[in-house]
Amino acid sequence: MKPPGAAKSETPDLAEPTLPLPDDPKLTANLTHFARALRKAGLPVGPGRVLTAIEAVRAAGFTRREDFYWTLHAVFVSRPEERQVFHQVFRLFWRDPRYMEHMMALLLPAVKGVQEEQKAASAAKRAAEALLDGAEPPAPPERDDKDDEDALIEIDASFTASSEEKLRALDFEQMNAEEAAQARRMLARLSLPVKPLKTRRLTADPLGSRPDWRRTLRGAMRTGGEVLTLARRQPTTRWPALVVLCDISGSMASYSRMVLHFVHAVANRQGQGWARVHAFTFGTRLTNISRHLKTRDVDAALNAAGHEARDWQGGTRIGACLHEFNRDWSRRVLGQGAVVLLITDGLDRDDPALLTKEMERLHLSARRLIWLNPLLRWDGFAPRAQGVRAMLPHVDTLRAGHSIASLEALAEALSDPRDRGEKARLMAMLNG
């Protein structure tokens, strides 16, 4: 029942003993409740899929966990980004006998500094909220103040901020279904303005800074050689193009879709300066999705892009994909000083020499190369991976790309040509 190309890491520990069932199991009711939880977690599950799931389980059986998992996976999962949500809901609903305690623990507030701060796994918070269905987490037990007179607790005052301010700083990977929907609405309102570029071409302008001697002499010929007015001209301006190279491999799955929402908003916003917006996705191969971004509806645009890019949540071959871009597309889209936005975590296991060569060529072809790396959300991030070490010297700016706030900061990087972001700090670590 396992679909071809599915990663084994998505279903860990499936080869365990058979799940114990009660004496009078109600499989139909359980499947209905499971489908309802998937729908609340954001998956498009309707009554038709519930009937199909019942028939599929009846035909395939559920004596083995792996068969049962992939049977339901084949029925309920239709998009690559839905796999992680399905996996978390399945784990909590079917496999963990203490799933209610796990769900409550995911939603309990923690006081920073009292216990170790741990982030929920990807889509786990969304799955917990879907299964709890509005139930309130239990209140923490009251403590005796006399026993804690000497204890000093630092309370984080971030609750005073508005919901949008919190959402701006929240990691895309840690958002539940409601937060992700609100984040997409906020991304649709973002803009990425850019300054125009001065060209070598000159145009007639009565207030121009440069004299136009040819037009001046032509005008003097009409007055018998007498110069009555001095014609002037001014350098013209044009708008640069934006080229986006977005990593859609498995390690970037939680960020690539949000970034593409932002790119779609930039491509369809009129009057903010970009001449054209070209977008490419890459994992194990390069895919041009520029024409899909012209669709006004963002869901239809990304759905079409997902059907064309067959390597969603697959492996990563950054060097080979950049080689394909430099060979087939570089002259077409970078010929007039385009700005390149590279979104990837840099985790590549291919030949680092090839990656270094292609990054150097891309850097020389672009007017400016900006790298967004979600791994910069960690304070202790260091350039230890060979892919990061190969790419770092050949970018102009290195910034984080894990939240709405980090995407908003792109405007600062574009407005300041001297902006380097985190590149200087990481280069010092690399050379140290």
Side-chain angles (χ1 to χ4, degrees):
M1 299 298 295
K2 184 174 180 180
K8 294 182 179 180
S9 59
E10 295 180 1
T11 56
D13 302 330
L14 287 179
E16 295 179 1
T18 305
L19 183 69
L21 296 176
D23 296 334
D24 185 19
K26 298 180 180 180
L27 182 60
T28 301
N30 289 333
L31 285 174
T32 303
H33 287 298
F34 177 63
R36 187 179 303 168
L38 291 175
R39 184 167 58 250
K40 288 184 178 297
L43 271 65
V45 177
R49 292 201 182 186
V50 178
L51 296 177
T52 304
I54 295 174
E55 295 176 0
V57 172
R58 184 179 303 169
F62 46 87
T63 55
R64 294 178 65 244
R65 292 179 186 271
E66 189 173 2
D67 292 343
F68 185 54
Y69 177 91
W70 289 112
T71 300
L72 297 182
H73 186 281
V75 175
F76 291 119
V77 176
S78 57
R79 293 182 178 181
E81 60 269 16
E82 297 170 356
R83 295 174 182 172
Q84 193 65 27
V85 178
F86 174 85
H87 174 66
Q88 294 294 348
V89 176
F90 182 91
R91 178 181 65 86
L92 296 176
F93 191 92
W94 295 103
R95 299 182 64 248
D96 196 338
R98 301 180 63 187
Y99 75 93
M100 185 60 70
E101 297 180 11
H102 286 277
M103 289 186 293
M104 292 295 187
L106 288 175
L107 300 181
L108 277 175
V111 179
K112 188 174 182 180
V114 178
Q115 61 185 24
E116 184 180 359
E117 191 174 359
Q118 296 182 351
K119 293 186 177 181
S122 176
K125 185 178 179 182
R126 187 190 308 181
E129 291 185 347
L131 289 172
L132 284 175
D133 195 14
E136 293 293 334
E142 296 184 359
R143 302 181 64 179
D144 190 1
D145 296 338
K146 295 181 180 180
D147 297 336
D148 297 333
E149 291 180 356
D150 298 332
L152 179 61
I153 299 178
E154 296 182 1
I155 302 298
D156 189 0
S158 60
F159 65 91
T160 58
S162 65
S163 58
E164 285 198 358
E165 290 176 349
K166 293 180 180 178
L167 198 59
R168 281 191 176 92
L170 186 61
D171 195 322
F172 289 141
E173 192 175 21
Q174 303 303 323
M175 291 181 178
N176 56 35
E178 182 180 356
E179 291 169 343
Q182 186 178 356
R184 287 192 291 267
R185 290 191 293 268
M186 294 175 62
L187 289 174
R189 300 195 302 264
L190 292 184
S191 62
L192 194 62
V194 63
K195 295 180 180 179
L197 304 176
K198 289 186 178 182
T199 66
R200 297 180 180 179
R201 294 186 177 182
L202 303 175
T203 184
D205 188 348
L207 301 178
S209 59
R210 302 183 184 181
D212 189 347
W213 299 115
R214 178 177 295 181
R215 291 181 61 240
T216 300
L217 294 178
R218 284 180 179 177
M221 292 174 62
R222 302 187 185 98
T223 58
E226 184 177 358
V227 177
L228 299 179
T229 59
L230 181 62
R232 294 183 175 275
R233 55 184 181 175
Q234 186 74 11
T236 58
T237 59
R238 63 175 177 84
W239 301 104
L242 177 65
V243 178
V244 180
L245 300 171
C246 185
D247 188 347
I248 56 172
S249 61
S251 59
M252 289 287 296
S254 302
Y255 304 98
S256 56
R257 186 170 180 85
M258 285 296 187
V259 171
L260 289 178
H261 268 270
F262 172 65
V263 174
H264 178 271
V266 173
N268 289 274
R269 188 175 298 277
Q270 300 295 331
Q272 69 175 8
W274 298 105
R276 295 193 64 182
V277 177
H278 305 273
F280 298 82
T281 60
F282 67 90
T284 56
R285 67 177 187 175
L286 185 74
T287 305
N288 185 0
I289 62 169
S290 302
R291 61 188 180 93
H292 299 305
L293 293 183
K294 297 179 181 179
T295 306
R296 299 293 297 179
D297 184 79
V298 61
D299 293 325
L302 296 187
N303 186 39
H307 282 296
E308 184 163 347
R310 301 294 183 181
D311 52 345
W312 281 86
Q313 287 191 328
T316 311
R317 300 178 64 232
I318 303 178
C321 293
L322 290 183
H323 172 72
E324 184 178 352
F325 175 81
N326 290 329
R327 182 193 62 195
D328 299 335
W329 295 98
S330 178
R331 291 186 179 181
R332 304 186 195 183
V333 299
L334 301 181
Q336 296 183 349
V339 176
V340 177
L341 191 61
L342 179 62
I343 301 102
T344 180
D345 52 14
L347 303 181
D348 184 30
R349 295 187 177 181
D350 278 351
D351 183 11
L354 174 64
L355 182 57
T356 301
K357 176 182 176 182
E358 298 303 328
M359 279 295 299
E360 182 179 7
R361 181 178 175 182
L362 178 63
H363 188 206
L364 294 175
S365 303
R367 179 179 182 85
R368 197 167 179 200
L369 179 55
I370 301 176
W371 181 11
L372 295 185
N373 191 337
L375 296 181
L376 287 179
R377 68 188 186 273
W378 306 113
D379 294 335
F381 175 76
R384 297 189 180 94
Q386 63 178 10
V388 177
R389 299 169 68 91
M391 297 171 62
L392 185 59
H394 305 291
V395 298
D396 296 307
T397 304
L398 175 60
R399 284 180 169 267
H402 65 289
S403 64
I404 298 176
S406 62
L407 296 181
E408 290 176 335
L410 268 180
E412 301 178 7
L414 290 173
S415 60
D416 185 6
R418 298 171 299 178
D419 179 83
R420 295 295 179 265
E422 297 292 324
K423 179 183 177 180
R425 180 179 65 85
L426 295 183
M427 284 298 296
M429 299 174 62
L430 187 62
N431 299 326

